[in-house]
Amino acid sequence: AELSQTLTGAGRLQLSEAKVVNLNVLQEVFRRLSILPGLVERLQARLPESSQPKLTARDTVFEPIALSVTAKDGALHFQELRLTTDSFAMTGAGSVGFDGTLVSHPLLRIEPALSAAIIRSVEELQALTNTAGELEFPVVLQGRLPRVAVLPDLEYIAKRVLLKKTEELLTDFLKKALEPEGATN
């Protein structure tokens, strides 16, 4: 334990067949979006059959991972994390302690086709899209390996969804207020 606290160095970590067993990251993220009641149920009921396996698979399989790490203070620290699957990517920084404790705050981006299917199923999520049409929001990865929790940043998501709804309501109000009297649509 003492040695791990004094160990320092830098290197490159490569994983060719990375998989998180018994955790579907996308399913977990949407399950934890409690600010939108019934979200997972709506997704499962409305998502096209071709997209269903992405939310029902048992494991999350990543494309090969290569990242630079620095060892210090009893942990491996990484600045340019990029985890990619066939349906999403997470980019960010974080650390893994020599005791297995993981802490990371990446940005999750869901590929455009799946994002569009999800938004058709749950329109409120449109507020979370970027200019490329990807659902995009911060998440937190935390826990002790192999038990890792994937937590969406609910404060960020709530602000974006509320801001979008407020914009829509104000736009509708202004259209009605500026509409000439007696005009019909």
Side-chain angles (χ1 to χ4, degrees), residues 36 39 42-43 118-126:
L36 298 171
L39 175 73
R42 284 194 282 170
L43 274 175
I118 291 169
I119 291 165
R120 281 191 300 274
S121 300
V122 184
E123 292 177 16
E124 296 93 335
L125 295 177
Q126 176 69 45

Side-chain angles (χ1 to χ4, degrees), residues 72-151:
K72 67 177 182 180
D73 302 324
L76 294 175
H77 301 271
F78 44 88
Q79 296 300 316
E80 297 178 12
L81 174 68
R82 180 160 179 81
L83 301 174
T84 306
T85 72
D86 64 344
S87 54
F88 71 87
M90 287 192 283
T91 55
S95 65
V96 177
F98 293 128
D99 65 353
T101 302
L102 170 70
V103 177
S104 181
H105 299 270
L107 188 63
L108 174 71
R109 285 187 188 97
I110 300 172
E111 61 93 13
L114 181 57
S115 290
I118 291 169
I119 291 165
R120 281 191 300 274
S121 300
V122 184
E123 292 177 16
E124 296 93 335
L125 295 177
Q126 176 69 45
L128 302 175
T129 56
N130 61 21
T131 56
E134 302 165 314
L135 282 169
E136 174 184 85
F137 50 92
V139 297
V140 175
L141 304 176
Q142 67 183 24
R144 188 170 297 230
L145 299 172
R147 294 194 156 299
V148 176
V150 184
L151 309 166

Side-chain angles (χ1 to χ4, degrees), residues 21-41:
V21 179
N22 293 325
L23 176 65
N24 180 315
V25 170
L26 280 181
Q27 182 183 57
E28 186 66 9
V29 164
F30 289 118
R31 190 179 69 75
R32 292 185 178 265
L33 279 175
S34 58
I35 59 171
L36 298 171
L39 175 73
V40 173
E41 293 78 14

